[in-house]
């Protein structure tokens, strides 16, 4: 009897939750609890950390989880590492549901940086209008470049003072729209866009809008993730479920 744990927080996880609900498979979707009101799902949800590898391993055993799908964001490296270790420890089959990274076209003006710190460093220089759409969690990285006028896109209104002296938050949750992002960039006379190479469709509007407006993008490359079985569409996950028993014989 399958009991699937989906590590969520992305469009892919939501799409899988719908496919799994339609297939009447028993599943639970897990959120870290990063935002006030995560999207509603057609399957039961749990919210909050598990308590590291041990916490996840014990959750798997206590809840008779038979399979785990890591459908977290490509930058959620800690969760992905913990999933590999906890599934090895409990002999639970694991697959990642991820999305290919974006690739620059001829018309793109990308400058690749390896991580958030390098993105902040690359912003050294005279004050500019910067669109910073990397979420709330990493704004401190940019406190080393206080000279800029930042437009911040956040899922929830900040409840603590922002670490940037000249910042305008815009509260919105994706998926975003190319024309609306073009208008946003123009309204704020944005000169450069900072983005994670998230892949997928939910976050790409600003990249397309930057290209339309001939704006440079500081593209933060993906961190390394551990080796694991990977799928890019929900059907591949269903096929995997159909063909892989559980070593624990449940
Ligand atoms: C809590 C749960 C769905 C999921 C939708 C996707 C698409 C819209 C676009 C911009 C970029 C960013 C950010 C983004 C997008 C989807 C997806 C995606 C980027 C929610 C959600 C949770 C989060 C967490 C949040 C992070 C932040 C990242 C904002 C739900 C809405 C920047 C990533 O303020 C904060 O603390 C936000 C933190 C983690 C990234 C970060 O670390 O900087 N996502 N986003 C998840 C949890 O609690 O486990 O309500 O759905 C989900 C979505 N956000 O069901 O359709 O799949 O990527 N999310 C990035 O890609 O750069 C916004 O503004 O242009
Ligand atoms: P992270 O740094 O990899 O994870 C840090 C800790 O948060 C994990 O060790 C775990 O805590 C907890 N956690 C993360 N994802 C979880 C989940 N789905 N369910 C339960 N606990 C979870 O993760 P993150 O970058 O903060 O991302 C947090 C969430 O936001 C993820 O669900 C991710 O999919 C979503 N998200 C992230 C980004 C991004 O750019 N990082 C973008 C879009 C969506 P314990 O160790 O206590 O278990």
């Amino acid at each position: 009897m399958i009991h699937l744990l989906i590590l969520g927080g992305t469009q892919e996880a939501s799409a899988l939750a719908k496919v799994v609900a339609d297939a009447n498979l028993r599943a639970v979707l897990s959120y870290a609890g990063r935002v006030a009101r995560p999207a509603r799902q057609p399957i039961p949800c749990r919210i909050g950390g598990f308590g590291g590898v041990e916490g996840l391993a014990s959750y798997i055993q206590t809840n008779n989880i038979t399979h785990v799908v890591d459908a977290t964001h490509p930058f959620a490296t800690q969760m992905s590492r913990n999933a590999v270790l906890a599934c090895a420890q409990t002999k639970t089959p694991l697959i990642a549901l991820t999305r290919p990274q974006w690739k620059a076209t001829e018309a793109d003006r990308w400058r690749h940086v390896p991580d958030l710190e390098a993105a902040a460093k690359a912003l050294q220089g005279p004050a500019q209008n910067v669109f910073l759409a990397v979420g709330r969690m990493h704004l401190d990285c940019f406190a080393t470049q206080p000279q800029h006028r930042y437009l911040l896109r956040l899922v929830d209104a900040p409840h603590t003072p922002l670490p940037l002296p000249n910042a305008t938050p815009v509260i919105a949750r994706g998926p975003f729209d190319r024309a609306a992002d073009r208008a946003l960039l123009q309204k704020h006379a944005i000169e450069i866009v900072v983005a994670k190479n998230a892949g997928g469709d939910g976050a790409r509007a600003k990249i397309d809008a930057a290209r339309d407006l001939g704006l440079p993008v500081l593209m933060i490359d993906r961190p390394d993730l551990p080796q694991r079985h990977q799928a890019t569409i929900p059907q591949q996950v269903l096929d995997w479920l159909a063909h892989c028993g559980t070593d624990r014989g449940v």
Side-chain angles (χ1 to χ4, degrees), residues 2 67 236-245:
I2 287 178
H67 299 75
Q236 289 169 343
V237 175
L238 291 190
D239 297 344
W240 171 77
L241 281 172
H243 296 100
C244 95

Side-chain angles (χ1 to χ4, degrees), residues 44-131:
C45 291
R46 66 169 295 288
I47 297 185
F50 295 96
V53 175
E54 290 317 313
L56 178 54
S58 118
Y59 179 88
I60 287 171
Q61 287 169 327
T62 315
N63 293 278
N64 294 316
I65 296 295
T66 60
H67 299 75
V68 175
V69 181
D70 177 358
T72 58
H73 190 277
F75 280 69
T77 49
Q78 187 60 58
M79 188 71 256
S80 295
R81 288 199 186 103
N82 290 2
V84 166
L85 293 172
C87 289
Q89 197 177 300
T90 57
K91 295 190 173 37
T92 309
L94 166 70
I95 193 169
L97 176 59
T98 184
R99 60 246 188 147
Q101 54 190 337
W102 299 316
K103 292 250 185 301
T105 66
E106 284 296 298
D108 286 300
R109 292 178 57 197
W110 290 4
R111 174 178 168 188
H112 289 269
V113 286
D115 53 35
L116 285 142
E117 286 69 25
K121 217 174 156 92
L123 285 175
Q124 275 170 359
Q128 292 188 81
N129 297 331
V130 179
F131 183 42

Side-chain angles (χ1 to χ4, degrees), residues 8-12 14 30-35 37-39 41 73 99 131 133-138 153-156 173-176 181 196 198-199 202-203 206:
T10 58
Q11 253 173 349
E12 287 69 24
S14 299
S30 176
Y31 282 117
R34 285 276 178 284
V35 301
R37 283 173 307 289
Q41 298 292 346
H73 190 277
R99 60 246 188 147
F131 183 42
V134 293
R136 170 180 51 95
M137 294 157 52
H138 308 288
R153 183 136 71 184
L154 305 174
V155 178
D156 293 322
R173 99 174 36 210
F176 298 103
D181 271 11
K196 293 177 172 178
K206 59 187 177 289

